[in-house]
Amino acid sequence: MKRYSLSLILLLASTLLLTACSTLPPPGIQPVSGFELTRYSGQWHEIARLDNRFERGLSQVSATYSLNADGSIKVVNRGYDQASASWKEAQGRALFNGDSHVASLKVSFFGPFYGGYHVVALDPDYQWAMVAGNDRDYLWILARDKQLPQTVTQPLLRQAASLGFDTASLIWVKQSTASQ
C-alpha cells in the first residue's frame, strides 16, 4: 500500500472542496440574457435582501460595479453599521461564468473563494434588478434610486416566491435620503 504525503492529501481535499462550491444558479433559476455590463455598471442601492452574515446589521447598503483593466469587474459593497457607528466596505472581483451577455457571474471578496451572482430580473432601463446567489439563501433587490415603488416591488416579490425564495424573510434595507 502506498503512503501519501499529508500535503498531497490536503491539496486533493482543497481541490474537491473548491470544485464542490458551485457558482452556477440554483436549479430552476435562469439568469437574464441580453445583459450589458456597461449599462449595469455604476452604483446600486440595496432595497431588500435575505439576511446573510456579511451584511448583518448594515443599513444604507450600496454596491458599485466597474470594469477592471484585466476585463474582470470591480465590486465595492458599502454599508453603515449602526452598532459601531461606522461605514463598512468590502472590495471584490467578479467574472462571468460564461457568455458575458448572460447575467451569471461569480464574485470573490476572499481570494480564491467565489459565490454566485445571478441577475434573475432586470428593468429594461437598468433601474432595478433582482439578484440570486448560488442557492436560495441569497437574494437581493437592487435599484439605482434609494426606494422602489410597490408597483415594482410587488411583481418582484411574486417572481421571487415563484422561484422558491422565502420572501417573508426579506429585510427591507433602511436607506437614508441624505447624501452618503
Side-chain angles (χ1 to χ4, degrees), residues 60 78 87 146 176-180:
Q60 302 180 62
R78 186 172 190 256
W87 288 95
K146 294 180 180 182
S176 168
T177 53
S179 64
Q180 297 180 16

Side-chain angles (χ1 to χ4, degrees), residues 94-149:
L95 302 166
F96 283 95
N97 278 319
D99 183 341
S100 65
H101 292 99
V102 176
S104 178
L105 298 100
K106 57 185 178 180
V107 180
S108 175
F109 291 95
F110 312 105
F113 303 102
Y114 284 86
Y117 183 100
H118 313 286
V119 181
V120 297
L122 181 62
D123 175 57
D125 294 323
Y126 286 66
Q127 295 303 299
W128 53 259
M130 187 165 61
V131 178
N134 49 293
D135 62 34
R136 286 178 172 80
D137 292 333
Y138 297 97
L139 182 72
W140 296 268
I141 296 174
L142 308 174
R144 297 294 187 174
D145 294 324
K146 294 180 180 182
Q147 296 180 5
L148 274 179

